[in-house]
Amino acid sequence: MTVSAIQYQPREGGVASNVPEHVRLIEDADSHGARLVIFPELSLTGYDLPLLQNADEWIVPGDARLSAVREICRRTGVTAVVGAALREANGTPRLASVVVHPDGSEEAGLKTHLHGEEAAMFTAGPGPAVLELDGWKVALAICFDAAHPVHSDIAAGSGADLYAVSALYTQGEGTRLGLHLGARAMDNRMYTLLANLGGQTPLGPSCGLSGFWGPDGLVMQHAAGTGTEVVTAVLRRGALQRYRHPAM
């Protein structure tokens, strides 16, 4: 399966400014053959928690502002995972990865391990969401989820082949990032992916390094810089089988 991790530097202006860039980057990923595209944590607004005091920067189920994302997914056959502050139909506030499928349906992965100011703004999710696409199972994680081995253990127990992390790791956290993504892959014999926010953020400059780790825990490829970049990899079933069922 061909997958793109989008390292994304959000534009100022919230959801309205960032939706067109999401559409452009999904088109770019489609040109590389991607069937699945993963954006970073809060990609539609940036990790700007004070901005979320504005109710208009929260997404709701079926939000009309995502119509252009739905259309590009329909036209290309790509499934896109975008980062958003989501207010569920019952009003529950979630830090979410919103999944847009080509058939127009949507679902959400919810951040389980909130930290810092997030805990006062959002309600934690119950655990990793697992998508099924082209015979692959993809578990969704958001940032600090990847620091908790139990989160990826649950994903692996659900049969996940890929653990996709939407996050913000800042300058100086590259070693921590590599340890998290490599360990989650090696311990559970699955691929891992990081889509990191890029550029300057309210928490400091991004360290970049969006990319992929194999089931051996080693880096396959990652972004060359710290700005917006599409990183695409072909994930092969055979590599999973070699580590899950080694020859005796």
Side-chain angles (χ1 to χ4, degrees), residues 62-149:
D63 201 298
R65 292 170 295 174
L66 295 185
S67 60
V69 174
R70 295 187 194 97
E71 173 57 23
I72 192 63
C73 291
R74 183 200 66 77
R75 184 164 61 81
T76 60
V78 167
T79 294
V81 179
V82 304
L86 172 68
R87 196 166 297 281
E88 294 181 322
N90 64 4
T92 304
R94 303 288 197 178
L95 206 167
S97 290
V98 177
V99 185
V100 181
H101 293 286
D103 65 1
S105 63
E106 296 177 15
E107 56 189 303
L110 308 174
K111 190 169 186 176
T112 304
H113 298 281
L114 302 171
H115 65 99
E117 296 178 22
E118 296 169 2
M121 299 182 65
F122 302 99
T123 299
V130 179
L131 317 177
E132 295 198 31
L133 179 65
D134 296 345
W136 290 70
K137 290 189 176 182
V138 181
L140 302 180
I142 302 177
C143 205
F144 204 45
D145 289 341
H148 293 264

Side-chain angles (χ1 to χ4, degrees), residues 85-244:
L86 172 68
R87 196 166 297 281
E88 294 181 322
N90 64 4
T92 304
R94 303 288 197 178
L95 206 167
S97 290
V98 177
V99 185
V100 181
H101 293 286
D103 65 1
S105 63
E106 296 177 15
E107 56 189 303
L110 308 174
K111 190 169 186 176
T112 304
H113 298 281
L114 302 171
H115 65 99
E117 296 178 22
E118 296 169 2
M121 299 182 65
F122 302 99
T123 299
V130 179
L131 317 177
E132 295 198 31
L133 179 65
D134 296 345
W136 290 70
K137 290 189 176 182
V138 181
L140 302 180
I142 302 177
C143 205
F144 204 45
D145 289 341
H148 293 264
V150 67
H151 193 268
S152 60
D153 290 349
I154 293 170
S158 299
D161 303 302
L162 169 63
Y163 186 67
V165 182
S166 300
L168 169 56
Y169 287 89
T170 56
Q171 196 172 84
E173 293 187 310
T175 298
R176 178 171 175 264
L177 173 166
L179 289 171
H180 287 165
L181 275 293
R184 302 297 86 84
M186 183 174 63
D187 289 350
N188 296 291
R189 300 309 191 196
M190 59 187 176
Y191 289 100
T192 58
L193 169 160
L194 171 68
N196 198 16
L197 282 169
Q200 293 290 332
T201 81
L203 298 184
S206 169
C207 67
L209 299 176
S210 297
F212 297 83
W213 286 253
D216 55 2
L218 299 178
V219 176
M220 295 168 57
Q221 61 194 91
H222 58 66
T226 61
T228 296
E229 188 172 341
V230 178
V231 184
T232 302
V234 178
L235 309 184
R236 302 189 185 279
R237 179 74 62 188
L240 290 175
Q241 298 305 321
R242 282 198 301 275
Y243 287 96
R244 290 175 173 178

